[in-house]
Amino acid sequence: MENTASPNDGLSGRSVDSSAIAASGTGADSLAYSFATSYAGVVAFIAVASEGNFAKAGDRLGIGRSAVSRSVQKLEDQLGTRLFLRTTRSTSLTREGERFYENCHTGVKHIVQALDDMRELREGPPAGHLRVNATAGFGRKIVAPLLKGFRTAYPDISVELLLDDGPTDFTGNRIDVSFRDGRMEDSQVIAKQIVPMQMLLCAAPSYIATHSMPAEIDDLARHCCINFRLPSGRLYDWEFKVNGLARKFTPQSMLSFNDADLILQAVLEGQGIAQMAGYQVIEYLRQGTLVPCLPHYAPDDRGHYLCYLSRQHLPGRIRVFIDYMTAQIRALDLLSVDNYLLKG
């Protein structure tokens, strides 16, 4: 669900003409004038902040650019604060504007959620648009193949899937649901673990035949290791659990990628050894085209999570998507990789 005003979210339409409300000097009239100015100004302000300029904000609200500008100007006058830095080429928030946006946005979002919830109850089956974010590997291999079944079950819900290994910007990118891997430390989101995430060191049989199987973590220093470059730019640290304690190992390598599928392909070709997520390698382990290495040192404190911003007034389209994906992903039996973790 979008977190900003839109043509069908109850905040669009003609702007409130605050000049039509006479401020005759009485307390009641002054209050009415103040509210009318604030309401129109806040709606216009949120739209401009979300869209990035006044013209797009006007299109979003169904009014002219000049009307948006007047509403924002009245709000700035009322607050005695400049909210936007405006040039002929760009519009950006001032520091005061950023603070005001953060304070206002939560309230507007809750109003929109309540309106959407009531509309869905009145109009029937879940409908609307879902904007979903997922890490590239998990999104491509797990989430995307399940969308056909979801669309069949809920034909009135459209889905946009965005693959990104970086942190999820729920507000800025208007993300409804995000699939995240690893450990969840962000207390600002609701994180529901779907299944544990198992990291497993793997190699092709041809590689092991040439280079032998590592017996201990320190043996990896003599192997051809393939690294993963994180969105932050640093290399991913291989993680292990030794005698109940976490141990990290950053291998030296002549080959690294910023895409998990490319790492998997290189390992399948016998170019080296790499630590990969269980969902990536389980079918190859079953086929025998990959073999596990040091499975008794595999870490066990990660997970695949389904994340969203709030449980309150959760729209039906988001609720059914969460339920559907949770059930379908758990049914994939990704945990059968445990059979390989017990070996060695």
Side-chain angles (χ1 to χ4, degrees):
M1 179 193 65
E2 295 187 356
N3 295 332
T4 55
S6 66
N8 62 355
D9 62 13
L11 296 178
S12 60
R14 297 181 179 179
S15 62
V16 176
D17 185 3
S18 57
S19 64
I21 301 178
S24 62
T26 66
D29 286 341
S30 296
L31 179 62
Y33 179 85
S34 175
F35 176 79
T37 302
S38 299
Y39 176 80
V42 169
V43 171
F45 168 77
I46 291 289
V48 175
S50 301
E51 295 298 332
N53 65 62
F54 284 72
K56 289 182 179 179
D59 291 340
R60 187 173 183 82
L61 296 174
I63 59 178
R65 181 189 184 283
S66 59
V68 175
S69 182
R70 285 196 302 271
S71 293
V72 171
Q73 181 63 57
K74 289 178 181 178
L75 180 63
E76 288 178 329
D77 291 342
Q78 187 180 25
L79 298 175
T81 302
R82 191 175 185 182
L83 300 175
F84 290 104
L85 296 173
R86 312 177 210 183
T87 68
T88 56
R89 293 186 177 182
S90 66
T91 299
S92 60
L93 289 167
T94 62
R95 290 186 182 276
E96 292 78 8
E98 290 175 350
R99 180 172 179 175
F100 189 66
Y101 179 81
E102 289 300 320
N103 289 333
C104 289
H105 190 264
T106 300
V108 172
K109 179 185 68 176
H110 288 164
I111 293 172
V112 172
Q113 287 176 335
L115 291 171
D116 280 350
D117 192 44
M118 292 301 99
R119 184 178 298 112
E120 288 173 356
L121 287 175
R122 184 179 68 250
E123 296 176 355
H129 185 67
L130 275 177
R131 197 168 167 87
V132 180
N133 173 269
T135 53
F138 194 78
R140 185 179 294 115
K141 189 171 184 63
I142 304 298
V143 180
L146 295 175
L147 292 180
K148 181 180 179 181
F150 176 77
R151 289 278 301 113
T152 299
Y154 301 98
D156 294 329
I157 301 177
S158 60
V159 182
E160 182 177 1
L161 177 61
L162 306 173
L163 302 184
D164 185 359
D165 287 323
T168 302
D169 183 353
F170 283 92
T171 301
N173 293 329
R174 299 178 188 171
I175 301 299
D176 297 307
V177 177
S178 177
F179 292 89
R180 296 288 97 184
D181 302 331
R183 303 180 187 91
M184 289 303 302
E185 300 174 353
D186 188 351
S187 61
Q188 302 301 310
V189 302
I190 306 300
K192 174 182 180 180
Q193 186 180 111
I194 310 172
V195 291
M197 179 182 182
Q198 297 162 318
M199 301 299 297
L200 193 61
L201 207 64
C202 293
S206 59
Y207 175 86
I208 297 300
T210 303
H211 297 84
S212 76
M213 178 73 75
E216 296 294 334
I217 296 173
D218 291 339
D219 294 343
L220 295 174
R222 298 187 293 274
H223 279 266
C224 301
C225 300
I226 302 175
N227 278 330
F228 178 67
R229 181 76 65 179
L230 296 165
S232 64
R234 71 178 183 86
L235 291 175
Y236 165 74
D237 292 321
W238 290 7
E239 297 185 2
F240 302 94
K241 195 168 186 179
V242 182
N243 297 323
L245 299 177
R247 178 177 172 183
K248 291 186 177 182
F249 175 81
T250 304
Q252 298 296 317
S253 72
M254 296 296 290
L255 190 60
S256 62
F257 300 95
N258 68 345
D259 183 88
D261 286 346
L262 293 179
I263 292 177
L264 173 61
Q265 186 59 41
V267 174
L268 287 169
E269 292 172 354
Q271 296 189 55
I273 187 172
Q275 190 174 62
M276 296 173 285
Y279 74 87
Q280 286 182 279
V281 301
I282 181 60
E283 64 182 271
Y284 301 103
L285 291 172
R286 290 168 179 159
Q287 296 167 5
T289 50
L290 286 181
V291 294
C293 306
L294 306 176
H296 48 295
Y297 291 138
D300 59 2
D301 61 344
R302 289 172 168 261
H304 295 292
Y305 293 88
L306 201 156
C307 306
Y308 49 101
L309 283 180
S310 175
R311 290 190 178 95
Q312 293 184 334
H313 303 298
L314 195 64
R317 62 184 182 277
I318 297 179
R319 186 166 52 250
V320 297
F321 183 80
I322 291 172
D323 292 344
Y324 181 90
M325 285 294 173
T326 299
Q328 293 297 317
I329 292 173
R330 287 176 177 172
L332 294 176
D333 194 25
L334 299 177
L335 297 183
S336 60
V337 73
D338 282 334
N339 296 332
Y340 301 95
L341 297 178
L342 295 174
K343 296 178 181 179

